[in-house]
Amino acid sequence: MSLTNKNNTELTELDFHLSEVAHIGHAAIYVTDMKRSLWFFTDVVGLYVTKETEDRVYLRAWQDWDHHTLILIQSDQSGLDHFGWRVNSEKALLVYEDKLKKQNIDYEWIEAGTEAGQGDAIKFRSPSGIPIELYWEMEKCVADETTISKYPSHPMKYTGRGAAPRRFDHVNVMVNDVVKEQNWWTDFLGINHRYYTQNKEDIRMGSWLSKTNIAHELALMRNSNQNGAHLHHVAYFLDTPDDLIRALNLMAENDIKIEWGPGKHGTSGAQFLYAFEPSGNRVELWTGGMLIFAPDWQPIEWNAKKGQLGLDMWGSTPPESYLTYGTKIK
Amino acid sequence: MSLTNKNNTELTELDFHLSEVAHIGHAAIYVTDMKRSLWFFTDVVGLYVTKETEDRVYLRAWQDWDHHTLILIQSDQSGLDHFGWRVNSEKALLVYEDKLKKQNIDYEWIEAGTEAGQGDAIKFRSPSGIPIELYWEMEKCVADETTISKYPSHPMKYTGRGAAPRRFDHVNVMVNDVVKEQNWWTDFLGINHRYYTQNKEDIRMGSWLSKTNIAHELALMRNSNQNGAHLHHVAYFLDTPDDLIRALNLMAENDIKIEWGPGKHGTSGAQFLYAFEPSGNRVELWTGGMLIFAPDWQPIEWNAKKGQLGLDMWGSTPPESYLTYGTKIK
Amino acid sequence: MSLTNKNNTELTELDFHLSEVAHIGHAAIYVTDMKRSLWFFTDVVGLYVTKETEDRVYLRAWQDWDHHTLILIQSDQSGLDHFGWRVNSEKALLVYEDKLKKQNIDYEWIEAGTEAGQGDAIKFRSPSGIPIELYWEMEKCVADETTISKYPSHPMKYTGRGAAPRRFDHVNVMVNDVVKEQNWWTDFLGINHRYYTQNKEDIRMGSWLSKTNIAHELALMRNSNQNGAHLHHVAYFLDTPDDLIRALNLMAENDIKIEWGPGKHGTSGAQFLYAFEPSGNRVELWTGGMLIFAPDWQPIEWNAKKGQLGLDMWGSTPPESYLTYGTKIK
Amino acid sequence: MSLTNKNNTELTELDFHLSEVAHIGHAAIYVTDMKRSLWFFTDVVGLYVTKETEDRVYLRAWQDWDHHTLILIQSDQSGLDHFGWRVNSEKALLVYEDKLKKQNIDYEWIEAGTEAGQGDAIKFRSPSGIPIELYWEMEKCVADETTISKYPSHPMKYTGRGAAPRRFDHVNVMVNDVVKEQNWWTDFLGINHRYYTQNKEDIRMGSWLSKTNIAHELALMRNSNQNGAHLHHVAYFLDTPDDLIRALNLMAENDIKIEWGPGKHGTSGAQFLYAFEPSGNRVELWTGGMLIFAPDWQPIEWNAKKGQLGLDMWGSTPPESYLTYGTKIK
């Protein structure tokens, strides 16, 4: 079954020009210990449960307007199920179906409601195998009587629980060939290239991309092991560096392993921490940094001499695990 | 003279669909005491001079990538000269010329270089009389030997001087009829409506708009005096609430009148201070708040019961001057 | 019954020289709505319950080392029961008993355990009628299995709940005659005078005192109504201005009336907020400011011209209630 | 020449009981590159010059009330000249002279004015050879017309230059035998023991001491090289973690080597950075952490299992240099 069949919509040339990916919407990840992972994401990170099903929990940050920005799926192996990206119109889904067909990329329609809150979605993989779902319809999150805020700008009450990130921010995947993958995301999906790092042999070590004004919604980092795409991390945005310190304190008190940080990425200017949630997926909490407004933005190069400062402008070096460890992409 | 004549470019229907305003770029304001105003914007606020001419000084924040984001113009009366908005292509200027003609809106071409760093621009006024320049070309700011940073993401060294805002953020104008003005900005220029306030008589008190993901690039507030459009303020973005406190401290020590703040706008969630620069124009420094990603964002209403919380969610009320004082629009 | 009788301790001249008040330890206040007040102090402010009895709840901040720093007592009228100040030795209690006798000040011994965790205490009133208890012994707070921290410097786990103040800080009382009251605290109890404000008629408007290095442990402010001593507020210390913003956000979301703030006291340099707990007692949360180390510190005068800046160095003025409203001292 | 001779003051038993060290006042250090070191301490750290002589520069932080808290002395080798500790009365100097004599500790009188702003001082060394000056008189710093603040609580205008620490905080020395040294400071000088770390062999790795309520004014760390006492670092206090980030940014931009940090000492709870000033002395900037009020404080033990968390509660480990590198004590 496909959406196209439902509506018999005709696509004009203009539709092709106007159809775009709008922004990243959510990540769906596998966890091996749902109970502990859920505790981490709610009590330590401070997300809120929108919905629970037999094997899934849908979560959002306090100012995420959408039904969910993270899905935890019980599994026997941690890793990535898919990333959801919202398109800018219903028709855009059909446009992308057409483009996928033309490029002979396998895809499938995911029927509305299969993922709670989400309308029909089209699912496919990037050249490196990153599972992507494009969707148009997404329910808004709804506060109940006890969580509703008097502020219309608050989708729910700010409670300050846990690290209390404001919103979902970005995702990061380790791939074998960054250049190839980045080109595809930019050319096929229109996600702009923002900055990149090159090593001494002039091999691309990382590329950061965004469709919106935030510094990046998707990061692609070279997998040192060259054993295929792996989920590197999902990231939520904190309001301030003090919130980052608060997050570090909460993780430290709760025996969560802090892999790296606090530090400050030179590339984006954002302060960061990386930690492992109880099922082994890496999570980043970050804050600050730049927005990008120029419609003709030229990607910033961080060459071999500068690259380390791109990772941490204060001079620390990432632990080995940061460059090699990722969780499975199914 | 007009750009159209220079190039004889033909415009297709697609050009009309794809041409857009990209983002607000700068404000040009009049100051009566250039020396003191310049001291304020450089030493207290912490902007940097890009260029000085006989009667103008071009300024930018440390991470503004463009040649300038603020122009001070010596005059016998403080106020607004114009706002510059960048479009998303050179052709978009011609598209807007065509639209202006069709709507019988007076306009003129401002030749490249008339404003330092800027290419050809088209100048016209909104219904309320707000002077607007649309431009495509803008030189990048260039650091010299003493101000260049080793970080490619820093257009110049971060020195921490003054309040040290990261970037230009938004502008605010008081107008007689907010609804009419807002509709025009949204319909004619495509600037999205983000949130608005209504008073007890259900009159629109304010509307906030942006083309980008930031909460607003342009605010329109009802002029209580109903004596026409006036510049309310220009705003720069600080990285953190602590930077706001630092800014308050610096203003207090330097006898700069803090009109209102610190407070937190309920509408955007941003923390703010308002102060008057020595020539009497109001300036806002603010930090934090929300970004807006939804392509189908519905403007948030703050009705009479909520409106005051929209102005300050912590409960303070703006001083009378905040609702009545603005500087001249020439 | 008196301690003196128990031990028949002889006091030497040296005992008189070495006996001192060490620091303020806690406040015991009356609340009319225990349930709501307790919710406020635990969920919004973020204190922890050490012990509950029929009509009392003992509370502490996460890094308060003592058994409690605040006692809530159910009553039909909100206000102050007493302030507890710790002395620097057991003998100091006897020294103060002797001094009280010599000055014909009424006092009574409060037997160990009457106040949970506290040893024998001697209770009396200042000239303005402020109830004071001096004590030497105080149990340490004890974390249980679920709240114990792996950090020996954390008396309990840092959980980040509510505004999460680090520790009890100071108290403030409105009195009719500030000079007289201040002199007594300095002369009789050895609490150093740190800074003071004078009005246009050169009447003392406020005096701030401390025995320790913090800017003040006790504030005395002139009661504009001249109707006797009233509790103005009790204050807890937050780590950072960002924590203050977090506190403001939590209070705003939870419909707690913020009376004044955020602002910055010029006198101490500390950032503040004032709010009313549900039973009507005023509470301050504050952060930052100076420590005082000089053994020969001269009190800083804020005269009529400067006084307002002493209250808020950023220029706001306190609401009328701040200068007139206090809760009852029984 | 000695003070004793000048005044023929008789000392009573009470004088011995009441005479105390009040607080640490300043550090005098050697620098090999005065120009660059001065640039670092003024432009990057943000201290202010009180006085310059041929080979010395006297510096203070913006809210240091004393004439100076740091002296840079031009030399051919970087390191420590002495630490100055203020006593609580003029007589206390004579009391300590008497005690030094009784303990056969060499000392000398340093005449008033030898160190600018300072009265007569008595100089001697700790068992490990740390040079100490005790003094009573110290001029206050004086702002001039351009630096005077309208706030009586500001010894000079807050300008926000550089990292802008509020005040001098503490010093740290590596010694061969921490236990022996700590006992002497506590027993002879009355500086309280606050917390300490033990290694797996139960050898004392570090001890932290203070006379005032701040967590420590003096740290003693075991010299892994066992080659005698070396200056480890001098530390200034920043108001907030955001100020620390600002400091890190300024150091990074100015090519100052950040040795370690940002991190958070578990022992004190303070956030830190360590960097080397251009002449090679280590400097710490820190913020936050606990105050200690209990007159009967028991030193907190961090045993081998906990010790690393005492150094950084977020889990990072200090670089090798941190445990081995110090500058010379003359």
Side-chain angles (χ1 to χ4, degrees):
Chain A
M1 191 215 69
S2 108
L3 263 176
T4 340
N5 296 343
K6 282 201 255 176
N7 304 313
N8 284 315
T9 311
E10 293 265 343
L11 296 174
T12 65
E13 196 202 322
L14 188 58
D15 290 330
F16 278 82
H17 280 288
L18 297 182
S19 290
E20 290 190 325
V21 171
H23 64 88
I24 195 166
H26 57 268
I29 65 173
Y30 294 107
V31 294
T32 52
D33 185 341
M34 178 62 89
K35 194 180 162 191
R36 291 276 300 159
S37 289
L38 188 53
W39 161 80
F40 172 80
F41 281 109
T42 53
D43 284 13
V44 181
V45 173
L47 303 184
Y48 297 87
V49 174
T50 295
K51 189 185 176 79
E52 291 192 67
T53 65
E54 200 181 341
D55 67 340
R56 296 185 172 214
V57 181
Y58 295 79
L59 296 151
R60 64 182 199 270
W62 75 268
Q63 213 194 30
D64 281 330
W65 294 90
D66 287 342
H67 180 270
H68 59 269
T69 52
L70 183 69
I71 309 170
L72 304 183
I73 309 170
Q74 175 66 48
S75 182
D76 58 358
Q77 197 171 21
S78 57
L80 176 67
D81 182 72
H82 75 274
F83 300 135
W85 291 75
R86 193 168 181 213
V87 293
N88 70 342
S89 69
E90 186 160 16
K91 239 185 217 173
L93 294 177
L94 303 182
V95 166
Y96 272 103
E97 178 179 41
D98 191 272
K99 287 185 178 184
L100 287 162
K101 278 182 186 162
K102 283 177 188 148
Q103 299 227 359
N104 289 316
I105 300 174
D106 285 342
Y107 68 91
E108 58 175 327
W109 285 98
I110 307 292
E111 206 172 348
T114 307
E115 180 174 314
Q118 185 177 282
D120 289 315
I122 190 163
K123 185 169 187 176
F124 53 96
R125 285 177 189 266
S126 76
S128 294
I130 304 174
I132 301 161
E133 284 188 28
L134 302 184
Y135 63 93
W136 164 243
E137 287 176 353
M138 176 57 72
E139 286 176 22
K140 298 292 163 217
C141 66
V142 179
D144 62 29
E145 270 178 34
T146 63
T147 59
I148 196 165
S149 170
K150 66 183 162 194
Y151 301 104
S153 54
H154 290 197
M156 63 168 288
K157 235 181 219 184
Y158 171 77
T159 71
R161 188 180 71 196
R166 177 181 288 268
R167 60 174 175 77
F168 180 61
D169 196 87
H170 69 262
V171 297
N172 183 317
V173 179
M174 288 168 23
V175 297
N176 287 357
D177 185 337
V178 173
V179 171
K180 186 179 156 197
E181 184 76 8
Q182 175 259 305
N183 283 335
W184 183 84
W185 280 86
T186 301
D187 297 343
F188 186 71
L189 289 175
I191 315 300
N192 304 299
H193 195 201
R194 301 310 199 178
Y195 34 85
Y196 60 98
T197 55
Q198 300 283 127
N199 74 1
K200 276 182 289 187
E201 291 77 34
D202 210 28
I203 292 171
R204 181 78 59 84
M205 298 306 286
S207 273
W208 288 261
L209 304 91
S210 67
K211 180 66 189 176
T212 67
N213 301 119
I214 68 171
H216 69 269
E217 296 173 275
L218 171 71
L220 303 166
M221 298 204 320
R222 182 177 171 81
N223 182 338
S224 300
N225 296 330
Q226 290 289 299
N227 61 349
H230 284 75
L231 174 65
H232 194 269
H233 67 261
V234 297
Y236 276 81
F237 183 85
L238 300 172
D239 274 343
T240 67
D242 266 24
D243 279 351
L244 191 70
I245 284 173
R246 178 182 162 82
L248 288 156
N249 293 345
L250 290 173
M251 294 201 179
E253 279 282 22
N254 287 289
D255 292 319
I256 298 299
K257 167 73 181 165
I258 298 162
E259 184 194 27
W260 190 28
K264 180 172 186 141
H265 293 311
T267 46
S268 59
Q271 287 88 195
F272 65 82
L273 77 82
Y274 294 95
F276 297 109
E277 56 90 20
S279 295
N281 295 295
R282 188 186 282 103
V283 171
E284 181 182 16
L285 295 178
W286 91 339
T287 180
M290 66 176 170
L291 297 178
I292 294 173
F293 298 103
D296 56 349
W297 179 261
Q298 294 304 307
I300 297 176
E301 185 190 70
W302 292 74
N303 62 27
K305 279 175 64 182
K306 307 273 187 180
Q308 208 69 296
L309 295 175
L311 288 175
D312 180 21
M313 66 170 269
W314 297 329
S316 82
T317 47
E320 180 61 18
S321 60
Y322 185 83
L323 303 171
T324 54
Y325 176 82
T327 44
K328 191 85 179 173
I329 293 182
K330 286 202 190 169
Chain B
M1 191 215 68
S2 108
L3 264 176
T4 342
N5 295 343
K6 283 200 253 178
N7 305 312
N8 283 316
T9 313
E10 293 263 342
L11 297 175
T12 65
E13 196 205 323
L14 189 57
D15 291 330
F16 277 82
H17 280 288
L18 297 182
S19 291
E20 289 190 327
V21 171
H23 65 88
I24 194 166
H26 57 268
I29 64 173
Y30 294 107
V31 294
T32 52
D33 185 341
M34 177 63 90
K35 194 179 161 192
R36 290 276 301 159
S37 288
L38 188 52
W39 160 80
F40 171 80
F41 281 109
T42 54
D43 285 13
V44 182
V45 174
L47 302 185
Y48 297 89
V49 173
T50 295
K51 189 185 176 81
E52 292 191 66
T53 65
E54 201 181 340
D55 67 340
R56 294 185 175 216
V57 182
Y58 295 80
L59 295 151
R60 63 183 200 270
W62 76 268
Q63 211 193 33
D64 281 330
W65 293 90
D66 287 342
H67 181 270
H68 58 268
T69 50
L70 183 69
I71 310 171
L72 304 183
I73 309 170
Q74 176 65 48
S75 182
D76 57 358
Q77 198 171 19
S78 57
L80 176 68
D81 182 72
H82 75 275
F83 300 135
W85 292 75
R86 195 170 180 211
V87 293
N88 70 342
S89 70
E90 186 160 14
K91 237 185 219 172
L93 295 177
L94 304 180
V95 166
Y96 273 103
E97 179 179 40
D98 191 273
K99 287 186 177 184
L100 288 162
K101 277 181 187 162
K102 282 176 189 150
Q103 299 227 356
N104 289 315
I105 299 175
D106 285 341
Y107 69 89
E108 59 176 324
W109 284 98
I110 306 292
E111 206 173 349
T114 307
E115 182 174 314
Q118 184 175 285
D120 288 315
I122 190 163
K123 185 168 185 175
F124 53 97
R125 285 177 189 266
S126 76
S128 293
I130 304 174
I132 302 161
E133 284 187 30
L134 302 184
Y135 63 92
W136 164 243
E137 288 176 353
M138 176 57 72
E139 286 177 21
K140 296 290 164 220
C141 65
V142 180
D144 62 28
E145 271 178 33
T146 62
T147 59
I148 196 165
S149 171
K150 65 183 164 193
Y151 301 103
S153 53
H154 290 195
M156 64 168 287
K157 234 181 220 181
Y158 170 78
T159 72
R161 187 179 70 196
R166 178 181 287 267
R167 59 172 176 78
F168 180 62
D169 196 86
H170 69 264
V171 296
N172 182 315
V173 179
M174 288 169 21
V175 297
N176 287 357
D177 185 337
V178 173
V179 171
K180 185 180 158 197
E181 184 76 9
Q182 176 260 306
N183 282 335
W184 183 84
W185 281 85
T186 300
D187 297 343
F188 186 70
L189 290 174
I191 315 301
N192 303 300
H193 195 201
R194 300 312 199 176
Y195 34 85
Y196 60 98
T197 55
Q198 300 283 125
N199 74 2
K200 275 182 289 188
E201 290 75 34
D202 209 29
I203 293 172
R204 183 78 60 81
M205 298 305 286
S207 273
W208 288 260
L209 304 91
S210 69
K211 180 66 189 177
T212 66
N213 301 120
I214 67 172
H216 68 270
E217 297 173 274
L218 171 71
L220 304 166
M221 298 204 318
R222 181 177 173 80
N223 182 339
S224 301
N225 296 329
Q226 289 289 299
N227 61 350
H230 284 76
L231 174 64
H232 195 270
H233 67 262
V234 297
Y236 277 80
F237 183 85
L238 301 171
D239 274 344
T240 66
D242 266 23
D243 279 352
L244 190 69
I245 284 173
R246 177 183 162 82
L248 289 158
N249 293 345
L250 289 173
M251 294 201 179
E253 278 282 22
N254 287 289
D255 293 320
I256 299 298
K257 167 72 182 167
I258 298 163
E259 185 194 26
W260 190 28
K264 180 172 187 142
H265 293 311
T267 46
S268 59
Q271 288 88 196
F272 64 82
L273 78 83
Y274 295 95
F276 297 108
E277 56 90 21
S279 296
N281 295 295
R282 189 187 280 103
V283 172
E284 181 182 16
L285 295 178
W286 90 340
T287 181
M290 66 175 171
L291 297 178
I292 295 173
F293 298 103
D296 55 349
W297 179 261
Q298 294 306 306
I300 297 176
E301 183 189 71
W302 292 74
N303 62 26
K305 279 176 66 182
K306 306 274 188 179
Q308 207 70 293
L309 296 174
L311 288 176
D312 181 21
M313 67 171 268
W314 297 329
S316 82
T317 48
E320 178 62 17
S321 60
Y322 186 83
L323 303 172
T324 55
Y325 175 83
T327 45
K328 190 86 180 174
I329 294 182
K330 285 199 189 171
Chain C
M1 191 214 69
S2 109
L3 263 177
T4 340
N5 295 342
K6 282 202 254 179
N7 304 313
N8 283 316
T9 312
E10 293 264 342
L11 297 176
T12 65
E13 195 203 325
L14 189 56
D15 290 329
F16 277 82
H17 280 288
L18 297 183
S19 291
E20 289 190 327
V21 171
H23 65 87
I24 196 166
H26 57 268
I29 64 174
Y30 295 106
V31 294
T32 52
D33 185 340
M34 177 63 90
K35 193 179 163 194
R36 289 277 300 159
S37 289
L38 188 53
W39 161 80
F40 172 80
F41 281 108
T42 55
D43 284 14
V44 182
V45 173
L47 302 184
Y48 298 88
V49 173
T50 296
K51 188 184 177 82
E52 292 191 66
T53 66
E54 200 181 341
D55 66 341
R56 296 184 173 216
V57 181
Y58 295 80
L59 295 151
R60 63 182 200 270
W62 76 268
Q63 212 194 30
D64 281 329
W65 294 90
D66 287 342
H67 181 270
H68 59 270
T69 51
L70 183 69
I71 310 171
L72 304 182
I73 309 171
Q74 175 67 48
S75 181
D76 57 358
Q77 198 171 20
S78 57
L80 177 68
D81 182 73
H82 76 274
F83 299 136
W85 291 75
R86 195 171 180 211
V87 293
N88 70 341
S89 70
E90 185 161 15
K91 237 186 220 173
L93 295 177
L94 303 180
V95 165
Y96 272 103
E97 178 180 40
D98 190 273
K99 287 184 176 184
L100 288 163
K101 278 182 187 162
K102 282 177 189 149
Q103 299 228 358
N104 289 316
I105 300 174
D106 285 342
Y107 68 90
E108 59 175 324
W109 284 98
I110 307 292
E111 207 173 348
T114 308
E115 182 173 314
Q118 184 176 284
D120 289 317
I122 190 164
K123 185 169 186 176
F124 52 96
R125 284 176 190 265
S126 75
S128 294
I130 304 173
I132 302 161
E133 283 188 29
L134 302 184
Y135 63 92
W136 164 244
E137 288 175 353
M138 176 57 72
E139 285 176 22
K140 298 290 164 220
C141 66
V142 179
D144 62 29
E145 270 177 35
T146 62
T147 60
I148 197 165
S149 171
K150 65 183 163 192
Y151 301 104
S153 54
H154 289 195
M156 64 169 286
K157 232 180 221 183
Y158 170 77
T159 71
R161 187 180 69 196
R166 178 181 286 268
R167 60 172 175 77
F168 180 62
D169 195 87
H170 68 263
V171 296
N172 183 316
V173 179
M174 288 169 22
V175 297
N176 287 357
D177 185 338
V178 173
V179 172
K180 185 179 158 196
E181 184 77 7
Q182 176 260 305
N183 282 334
W184 182 84
W185 281 85
T186 302
D187 297 343
F188 187 71
L189 289 175
I191 314 302
N192 303 300
H193 195 201
R194 299 311 198 177
Y195 34 85
Y196 61 97
T197 55
Q198 300 282 125
N199 73 2
K200 277 183 288 187
E201 290 76 34
D202 210 29
I203 292 171
R204 182 78 60 82
M205 298 305 287
S207 273
W208 288 262
L209 304 90
S210 70
K211 180 67 189 178
T212 66
N213 301 120
I214 66 171
H216 69 268
E217 296 173 276
L218 172 71
L220 303 167
M221 297 203 319
R222 181 176 173 82
N223 182 338
S224 299
N225 296 331
Q226 290 290 298
N227 61 350
H230 284 75
L231 174 64
H232 194 269
H233 67 262
V234 297
Y236 276 80
F237 184 86
L238 300 171
D239 274 344
T240 66
D242 266 22
D243 280 351
L244 190 69
I245 284 173
R246 179 182 159 82
L248 289 157
N249 293 345
L250 290 173
M251 294 201 179
E253 279 281 23
N254 286 290
D255 293 319
I256 298 299
K257 166 74 181 166
I258 298 163
E259 184 194 26
W260 191 29
K264 180 173 187 140
H265 293 311
T267 46
S268 59
Q271 287 88 197
F272 64 81
L273 79 81
Y274 294 95
F276 297 108
E277 56 91 19
S279 295
N281 295 294
R282 188 187 281 103
V283 171
E284 182 182 16
L285 295 178
W286 92 339
T287 180
M290 66 175 172
L291 297 178
I292 294 173
F293 298 102
D296 55 349
W297 179 260
Q298 294 304 307
I300 296 176
E301 184 189 70
W302 292 74
N303 61 26
K305 279 175 65 182
K306 307 274 188 179
Q308 208 68 293
L309 295 174
L311 288 176
D312 180 20
M313 67 170 267
W314 296 330
S316 83
T317 47
E320 180 61 18
S321 60
Y322 186 82
L323 303 172
T324 54
Y325 176 82
T327 44
K328 190 87 180 173
I329 294 181
K330 286 200 189 171
Chain D
M1 190 216 68
S2 108
L3 264 177
T4 342
N5 295 343
K6 282 202 253 175
N7 303 314
N8 283 315
T9 311
E10 293 265 343
L11 297 175
T12 65
E13 197 202 323
L14 188 58
D15 290 330
F16 277 82
H17 279 289
L18 297 183
S19 291
E20 289 190 326
V21 171
H23 65 88
I24 195 167
H26 57 269
I29 64 173
Y30 295 107
V31 293
T32 53
D33 185 341
M34 177 63 89
K35 194 180 160 191
R36 290 276 300 159
S37 289
L38 188 53
W39 161 79
F40 172 80
F41 281 109
T42 54
D43 284 14
V44 181
V45 173
L47 302 185
Y48 298 88
V49 173
T50 295
K51 190 185 175 83
E52 293 192 66
T53 65
E54 202 181 339
D55 67 339
R56 294 183 174 218
V57 181
Y58 295 80
L59 296 151
R60 64 181 200 271
W62 76 268
Q63 212 194 32
D64 281 330
W65 294 90
D66 287 342
H67 181 270
H68 59 270
T69 51
L70 183 68
I71 309 172
L72 304 183
I73 309 171
Q74 175 65 48
S75 180
D76 57 357
Q77 199 171 18
S78 58
L80 176 66
D81 181 73
H82 76 273
F83 299 136
W85 291 75
R86 195 170 180 211
V87 292
N88 70 343
S89 69
E90 186 160 16
K91 239 185 216 174
L93 294 177
L94 304 180
V95 165
Y96 272 103
E97 178 178 41
D98 190 274
K99 287 185 176 183
L100 288 162
K101 277 182 186 162
K102 282 178 188 148
Q103 299 226 357
N104 288 317
I105 299 174
D106 285 340
Y107 69 90
E108 59 175 326
W109 284 98
I110 306 292
E111 205 173 349
T114 306
E115 181 174 312
Q118 186 175 281
D120 289 314
I122 190 162
K123 184 169 188 175
F124 53 97
R125 284 177 189 269
S126 76
S128 295
I130 304 173
I132 302 160
E133 284 188 29
L134 302 184
Y135 62 93
W136 164 242
E137 288 175 352
M138 177 57 72
E139 285 177 21
K140 297 290 163 220
C141 66
V142 179
D144 62 29
E145 270 177 33
T146 62
T147 58
I148 196 165
S149 171
K150 66 183 163 193
Y151 301 103
S153 54
H154 290 195
M156 65 170 287
K157 234 180 221 184
Y158 171 78
T159 73
R161 189 179 69 196
R166 177 181 287 267
R167 59 172 176 78
F168 180 62
D169 196 86
H170 69 263
V171 296
N172 183 315
V173 179
M174 288 169 21
V175 297
N176 287 357
D177 185 337
V178 173
V179 172
K180 186 179 157 197
E181 185 76 8
Q182 176 260 304
N183 282 335
W184 182 84
W185 280 86
T186 302
D187 297 344
F188 186 71
L189 289 174
I191 314 301
N192 303 299
H193 196 200
R194 301 310 199 177
Y195 35 86
Y196 60 98
T197 55
Q198 302 281 127
N199 73 3
K200 275 182 290 188
E201 290 76 35
D202 210 29
I203 292 172
R204 182 78 60 83
M205 297 306 286
S207 273
W208 288 261
L209 304 90
S210 68
K211 180 65 189 177
T212 66
N213 301 119
I214 67 172
H216 69 270
E217 296 172 275
L218 172 71
L220 303 167
M221 298 205 319
R222 181 177 172 81
N223 182 338
S224 300
N225 296 330
Q226 289 288 300
N227 62 349
H230 284 75
L231 175 64
H232 194 269
H233 67 261
V234 297
Y236 277 80
F237 183 86
L238 301 171
D239 273 343
T240 66
D242 266 22
D243 279 350
L244 190 70
I245 283 172
R246 179 183 161 81
L248 289 156
N249 292 346
L250 290 174
M251 295 201 178
E253 278 282 22
N254 286 289
D255 293 319
I256 299 298
K257 167 74 181 164
I258 299 162
E259 185 194 25
W260 191 29
K264 180 172 187 140
H265 294 311
T267 46
S268 59
Q271 287 89 195
F272 65 81
L273 78 82
Y274 295 94
F276 297 110
E277 56 91 19
S279 295
N281 295 295
R282 189 187 281 104
V283 171
E284 181 182 16
L285 294 178
W286 91 339
T287 181
M290 67 175 170
L291 297 178
I292 295 173
F293 297 104
D296 55 350
W297 179 260
Q298 294 305 307
I300 296 175
E301 184 189 69
W302 292 74
N303 62 25
K305 280 175 63 182
K306 306 274 189 181
Q308 207 69 295
L309 294 176
L311 288 175
D312 180 20
M313 67 170 268
W314 297 330
S316 82
T317 47
E320 179 62 18
S321 60
Y322 186 82
L323 303 171
T324 54
Y325 175 82
T327 45
K328 190 86 177 172
I329 292 182
K330 287 204 187 169

